[in-house]
Amino acid sequence: MAKTRFVSRTRFIKASPEAIFEVVTNPAKHALIDGSGSVQSAGNDAPATLVLGTEFGMNMKIGVPYKMQNTVVEFEPGRLIAWQHFGGHRWRWQIAPADGGSMVTETFDWSTAKSPFMLELARYPARNAKSIEKTLVRLAELLEPKP
């Protein structure tokens, strides 16, 4: 039996798929929605909009500051984007229109990782599942109309 090597969370957000896609494809906005607290800002090389093949840097911090270079490896305009870095694991966003808003799924996929066992040993999947939940809340808070 194949082992599942991804964690996903889905949330309904009262915003258009276009508005959501604009946020997740703009590296400068990632720190606004990041639920892990590790994304600090986009790197100087980051474009305003990501597309398939785009390479972009992010300034990160988990205890100490570091930089992460990513490449967009999956892309469907308005619906799907995923990027990965040298470790091979991917962060994927899927957006589907829904009545009154959008269904948004964020996935941490380590099936493509160079060392999936090490990620599991370090408990990244469980931690990332909690961070994804927080990220989706922050995305909703950013985009949903205020009462």
Side-chain angles (χ1 to χ4, degrees):
M1 176 185 246
K3 186 173 184 177
T4 300
R5 288 203 159 125
F6 68 89
V7 292
S8 293
R9 297 293 186 266
T10 301
R11 180 184 173 116
F12 174 79
I13 296 179
K14 294 178 191 172
S16 70
E18 295 81 14
I20 295 165
F21 202 69
E22 189 277 325
V23 171
V24 300
T25 59
N26 182 342
K29 295 186 178 180
H30 290 184
L32 295 174
I33 62 170
D34 173 48
S36 72
S38 63
V39 177
Q40 303 299 297
S41 64
N44 293 336
D45 67 338
T49 303
L50 302 173
V51 295
L52 187 63
T54 301
E55 294 182 9
F56 66 104
M58 296 299 291
N59 298 311
M60 311 289 290
K61 184 177 181 182
I62 300 177
V64 296
Y66 63 99
K67 296 183 184 300
M68 188 61 63
Q69 195 68 20
N70 304 286
T71 303
V72 177
V73 294
E74 299 174 30
F75 189 83
E76 290 178 39
R79 307 233 349 130
L80 167 74
I81 186 167
W83 55 82
Q84 71 183 33
H85 60 71
F86 69 91
H89 47 280
R90 296 178 180 196
W91 290 97
R92 181 179 299 110
W93 289 85
Q94 295 166 282
I95 304 161
D99 189 28
S102 305
M103 294 302 293
V104 181
T105 301
E106 184 183 5
T107 301
F108 172 65
D109 180 352
W110 71 101
S111 67
T112 56
K114 293 178 182 171
S115 300
F117 175 73
M118 294 305 292
L119 292 170
E120 293 162 4
L121 188 64
R123 301 187 188 271
Y124 275 102
R127 283 198 306 250
N128 287 339
K130 291 177 184 174
S131 295
I132 289 170
E133 291 169 9
K134 292 177 186 175
T135 297
L136 291 171
V137 167
R138 292 179 70 157
L139 180 63
E141 289 171 348
L142 178 68
L143 292 173
E144 289 183 342
K146 307 299 181 255

